[in-house]
Amino acid sequence: MLQRALDDGADIVFTTIVVGQVSSADVSTIAQSIARKVPVVAGNPNNGFSQGFLPASLDGVVAVSAVDQNLTLPTGALGVANAIPETTVVAPGVAISTLGDGSSWDVAGLGTGTSFATPQVAGILAAAMQKYPEATGNQLLQSLVHNTGGQEHPLKYNETDGFGYGAASLTRVLAVDPTQYPDENPLLDKRLDQPSATDIADAEKALASAAPTAPGDSSQGSGASVVPILIGVGIGVIVLVLVAVVVTVIIIRR
């Protein structure tokens, strides 16, 4: 799935799938995303005692956890807060209004989990990409971790408390030009060390050696002009999802 997204030219990729192990092909795909400077956003487990930590714990990947309107982590297994080590950021994901239960769209309810928080973080990156098209994916990630919370503050990170760099902030990320930050992925020092520096270097070499398509090459066909449109539509959809969830959170708080 992630490989297909990269092959199709996605600018941002997110997944809410949580597994206990990944294949070498999956690790290679993440290495490719880092080489291409394509942000990958993944949900943390909702239960760190019984679920896996991948792909969120892979190097270069934004690991997202859920919090409620009071910035409190939901209670997980054994009655303790779901504090996942090496979290990158947190976002609203508790008591989110839902519609549909798999069999009918007429059923409304409230949902909790990182699956609700993860697309919001991807939406923040997408909105920033639209406002700052000159910024690289790495610079967008830098801005995400530098501009958490509601006010300007020095870069801070806690590896163990479950909040990481803090609460992802659409307002702060849009207010700050990301091109001022280094063109480097800030999430390459996780303990798992996968993909390795060698994996990433190999992916960068493969990308550099790929033969560019010559201007006017008829092999591109009319589909080449459609790809940017499809990518734009995809980003627009993510932004709409973000707006819908944020409005829902506001309504719930009221």
Side-chain angles (χ1 to χ4, degrees), residues 108-199:
L110 296 176
T112 293
T114 62
S115 293
F116 297 97
T118 303
Q120 293 188 62
V121 176
I124 289 173
L125 293 171
M129 182 175 290
Q130 288 186 318
K131 183 173 182 180
Y132 302 104
E134 298 303 317
T136 68
N138 287 341
Q139 290 172 322
L140 295 176
L141 293 178
Q142 292 275 359
S143 184
L144 177 70
V145 300
H146 277 83
N147 297 295
T148 55
Q151 299 178 343
E152 184 175 357
H153 58 79
L155 182 66
K156 296 183 295 184
Y157 178 68
N158 190 312
E159 182 181 297
T160 60
D161 70 354
F163 290 86
Y165 290 96
S169 172
L170 174 63
T171 302
R172 290 285 307 145
V173 168
L174 291 183
V176 178
D177 186 348
T179 59
Q180 66 180 285
Y181 298 116
D183 187 10
E184 302 170 354
N185 189 307
L187 308 172
L188 298 180
D189 56 353
K190 298 184 182 181
R191 286 173 292 178
L192 187 60
D193 194 30
Q194 290 189 52
S196 66
T198 300
D199 294 330

Side-chain angles (χ1 to χ4, degrees), residues 11-244:
D11 290 326
I12 298 170
V13 179
F14 81 87
T15 177
T16 58
I17 294 175
V18 178
V19 295
Q21 60 182 6
V22 293
S23 67
S24 58
D26 294 325
V27 174
S28 175
T29 298
I30 296 300
Q32 290 179 49
S33 73
I34 296 171
R36 299 185 189 188
K37 305 180 183 181
V38 174
V40 176
V41 186
N44 277 328
N46 292 309
N47 184 344
F49 292 93
S50 62
Q51 295 177 294
F53 293 85
L54 298 167
S57 62
L58 293 176
D59 272 4
V61 176
V62 180
V64 183
S65 279
V67 291
D68 64 15
Q69 59 185 350
N70 298 314
L71 290 180
T72 301
L73 294 169
T75 300
L78 304 181
V80 299
N82 190 47
I84 304 300
E86 295 190 308
T87 292
T88 305
V89 292
V90 298
V94 177
I96 302 297
S97 181
T98 63
L99 185 64
D101 64 353
S103 61
S104 171
W105 287 109
D106 297 328
V107 179
L110 296 176
T112 293
T114 62
S115 293
F116 297 97
T118 303
Q120 293 188 62
V121 176
I124 289 173
L125 293 171
M129 182 175 290
Q130 288 186 318
K131 183 173 182 180
Y132 302 104
E134 298 303 317
T136 68
N138 287 341
Q139 290 172 322
L140 295 176
L141 293 178
Q142 292 275 359
S143 184
L144 177 70
V145 300
H146 277 83
N147 297 295
T148 55
Q151 299 178 343
E152 184 175 357
H153 58 79
L155 182 66
K156 296 183 295 184
Y157 178 68
N158 190 312
E159 182 181 297
T160 60
D161 70 354
F163 290 86
Y165 290 96
S169 172
L170 174 63
T171 302
R172 290 285 307 145
V173 168
L174 291 183
V176 178
D177 186 348
T179 59
Q180 66 180 285
Y181 298 116
D183 187 10
E184 302 170 354
N185 189 307
L187 308 172
L188 298 180
D189 56 353
K190 298 184 182 181
R191 286 173 292 178
L192 187 60
D193 194 30
Q194 290 189 52
S196 66
T198 300
D199 294 330
I200 297 171
D202 289 343
E204 290 173 340
K205 290 178 181 178
L207 182 63
S209 63
T213 303
D217 188 346
S218 61
S219 63
Q220 291 188 35
S222 60
S225 61
V226 176
V227 171
I229 298 175
L230 294 177
I231 295 173
V233 171
I235 292 177
V237 170
I238 293 177
V239 174
L240 290 176
V241 171
L242 170 66
V243 172

